[in-house]
Amino acid sequence: MTTYPLIGPEMLEPMWLNRVRHGQHAATVDADRAVTVEGVSMRFRNESPEPGTPVRVWINHAGFFVCATEADIEQEAADLRASESAREMERRARLNRMRSEAEAFNARLALPVAWDVGIKDVLSGLSEASWGDGRMASTVEHVYLLEPLKAGRLARQAGDFLCTAASGTNGKRWSSKVIERAYDGDGRPYRPRPTCKACLALAKRWMRG
């Protein structure tokens, strides 16, 4: 967006300055290539839009009066809306892809008992360190057993993680174990895929395909 520096009177009335200090103020380029805001005329420092062009005037971060055409300001706002819309569409598509990938992976994990996905009390949410789907990027998802599992020397109880028996840490150094859910691009919850390497190594014997 093109902005045009303005030059006002050397002495500005303090009450007028307080009125125009904040926000943008509508004006029109006059025949003398100046703009008038709240009764005070300001000249263009260099080039200017054509006379009759609607503009908005404001004080920039450096403390100087500038203006831009209404058309340029509206176009910039439209471009910003389009960019935000595109980012939102990409975010939704990415989260929906993650859901599809998780569902496809979990369908292959044919454990002989009911299971879910759990975490060791990791704070998760929509923050700078999150995936954008309600989970922290550092979250490790474990296979959380809903029923006892016995397979050779592997023995787990309901409520255990597949990777850790009750005789091990099994989350004891954590305040709690919770069932984990992620959210797709439409805000619908789903079961994320396990990411714990130890759980996946033990679950490999039950993986289809």
Side-chain angles (χ1 to χ4, degrees), residues 41-120:
S41 178
M42 288 179 280
R43 297 178 293 106
F44 287 87
R45 185 180 298 275
N46 300 306
E47 61 178 336
S48 72
E50 291 297 317
T53 302
V55 297
R56 294 182 197 170
V57 179
W58 70 93
I59 299 176
N60 65 15
H61 294 301
F64 297 103
F65 281 98
V66 296
C67 76
T69 67
E70 291 270 7
D72 279 358
I73 292 173
E74 291 171 0
Q75 184 61 56
E76 184 176 75
D79 291 344
L80 179 60
R81 289 193 297 270
S83 178
E84 291 175 344
S85 177
R87 285 197 298 269
E88 174 61 16
M89 290 179 63
E90 192 281 330
R91 186 190 71 85
R92 291 181 61 186
R94 176 176 59 82
L95 294 180
N96 286 335
R97 286 195 303 271
M98 291 173 64
R99 175 180 181 140
S100 296
E101 291 168 0
E103 290 176 340
F105 182 89
N106 291 341
R108 294 174 54 213
L109 188 50
L111 267 69
V113 298
W115 63 279
D116 211 317
V117 173
I119 62 173
K120 293 181 179 180

Side-chain angles (χ1 to χ4, degrees), residues 2 9 18 37 40 61 64 115 130-131 133 147 153 156 196 209:
T2 302
N18 284 334
V37 177
V40 174
H61 294 301
F64 297 103
W115 63 279
S130 77
W131 288 118
D133 61 354
E147 299 175 337
R153 298 178 60 185
R156 298 287 187 267
C196 170

